[in-house]
Amino acid sequence: MTSDLATPFSAALSSDKAPMPPAPKPHPDAPVEAAETPIENLLDRAPEPLFSDTLVPYAPSVHLNAAGTPAENQGALYLIARLNRDSQPIEKGLIWRIYSETTNEEGRLELVATSEGGDAEFRLDPGVYLIHTSYGYASAVNRIVMGRDVKSKMVTLNAGGLKLEAALSDDNTIKKGPVLFDIYGTEFDERGERKLVARNVQPGKIIRLAADTYHVVSRYGDANAVVRADIQVIAGKLTEATMHHKAAGITLKLVNAPGGEAIANTSWAVLSPGGDVVVEANGAFPRFVLASGEYEVIARNNGVNYRSDFEVQTGNDREVEVMASAENEAVSN
């Protein structure tokens, strides 16, 4: 199939008209004409002001003060927010908070007004205020001096969205099971720790974040199935990322014979090849999600320890039986 872009060239080849003579070669000293519309490099754009003037889409309504008369001594402030300079105004999910710049007797900023949703309109006494705008985990703080006039401002949040999923392979997304995500900043504080941005994020949930690079930790279960990745969030865009685990669900049973009934009142310890405790539990059927690899398990029942080795393979959920026999008895510490 021929695309539209190739049609003019194909038509020229099949034309019955005499071919046009080649254009003369330009003289090397001839001036070069500038392109009519230069291509804009996005990296050369001037930084978009976070707090800029904007047109008021409608005249602010007249509010009444406590005495029932128009608040003529107040100014009107109309606020709009957007994700980046190219996006449309945000219509829902915003939280606006207006604080007085002066502190109260307790040394705290006084909250003057709030609004939730999209754009917001406020009537304010003349003075200096701080405007806090939040959209999910993205926020901005701006300062404004109010008089008795009408002001309209646009807040550019430079924010985007992040949607996270987990999978065992490209065609095996983890739809069920204990999968959670923690989102951290990429910089370390003086104690060598990352700043926690969001904890226990569910798969498929869209998280609103300031444009930046984040360190994401995906936890599958409560043991050692953990993967990490640095993910960039772009302003005005939804970033979708799938984090791949190499793990499987393992159910432990202490039995007297293969396929036998699980023995109750059993305590368990799963060890790494180096002898470190990975996870512990009590009960007849403890279940864990473990990272792929080799393990040793010790089951304790009626003061006797029984041991066994097993291997975890990615995506292979299964039961591991430990035989309560003399040959599997482990030496107690």
Side-chain angles (χ1 to χ4, degrees), residues 63 65 69-75 123 148:
H63 288 254
N65 58 24
T69 58
E72 298 177 352
N73 293 327
Q74 291 183 319
R123 288 283 178 156
R148 296 182 178 88

Side-chain angles (χ1 to χ4, degrees), residues 24-48:
K25 187 176 181 179
H27 191 277
D29 296 330
V32 179
E33 296 183 1
E36 296 182 0
T37 306
I39 298 176
E40 181 185 20
N41 187 340
L42 297 181
L43 298 179
D44 294 336
R45 277 182 174 180
E48 175 73 13

Side-chain angles (χ1 to χ4, degrees), residues 57-299:
Y58 61 87
S61 57
V62 177
H63 288 254
L64 302 179
N65 58 24
T69 58
E72 298 177 352
N73 293 327
Q74 291 183 319
L77 176 62
Y78 182 75
L79 297 171
I80 309 173
R82 59 186 176 182
L83 294 175
N84 66 353
R85 62 175 293 178
D86 298 320
S87 62
Q88 296 296 316
I90 300 171
E91 297 181 353
K92 60 181 180 179
L94 290 167
I95 299 178
W96 301 92
R97 296 181 177 92
I98 309 295
Y99 294 89
S100 174
E101 191 180 48
T102 57
T103 58
N104 56 22
E105 297 178 354
E106 299 176 354
R108 298 180 180 179
L109 296 175
E110 181 181 358
L111 180 63
V112 176
T114 62
S115 179
E116 296 185 16
D119 53 1
E121 177 193 333
F122 300 95
R123 288 283 178 156
L124 301 171
D125 295 330
V128 183
Y129 298 90
L130 297 177
I131 303 172
H132 182 273
T133 313
S134 62
Y135 186 61
Y137 293 94
S139 63
V141 178
N142 295 283
R143 181 177 182 270
I144 191 170
V145 179
M146 290 296 299
R148 296 182 178 88
D149 54 346
V150 176
K151 292 188 176 183
S152 181
K153 294 290 185 178
M154 173 72 77
V155 177
T156 303
L157 290 168
N158 287 323
L162 178 60
K163 182 180 179 182
L164 298 167
E165 302 283 358
L168 297 173
S169 63
D170 292 338
D171 57 353
N172 188 5
T173 303
I174 304 175
K175 298 296 185 181
K176 298 180 181 180
V179 179
L180 294 172
F181 302 92
D182 294 335
I183 302 174
Y184 296 86
T186 55
E187 297 182 355
F188 295 90
D189 60 18
E190 61 277 3
R191 295 179 296 178
E193 299 178 353
R194 300 180 190 268
K195 178 184 177 181
L196 178 64
V197 178
R199 181 186 293 278
N200 295 336
V201 176
Q202 298 283 344
K205 182 178 181 180
I206 297 177
I207 305 298
R208 300 157 180 164
L209 297 165
D212 204 345
T213 299
Y214 295 89
H215 184 76
V216 180
V217 179
S218 176
R219 294 177 282 111
Y220 183 25
D222 298 324
N224 63 343
V226 178
V227 293
R228 302 169 180 269
D230 289 339
I231 301 174
Q232 184 181 16
V233 174
I234 301 174
K237 304 293 184 181
L238 173 62
T239 300
E240 300 184 62
T242 299
M243 303 181 68
H244 287 80
H245 284 270
K246 294 182 178 180
I250 299 297
T251 301
L252 301 175
K253 294 171 59 179
L254 179 64
V255 296
N256 290 314
E261 185 175 345
I263 302 174
N265 301 321
T266 303
S267 59
W268 300 87
V270 177
L271 310 179
S272 69
D276 297 325
V277 177
V278 177
V279 65
E280 295 178 309
N282 294 299
F285 299 96
R287 186 183 186 278
F288 315 104
V289 176
L290 298 174
S292 298
E294 297 180 349
Y295 297 90
E296 177 186 0
V297 58
I298 296 177

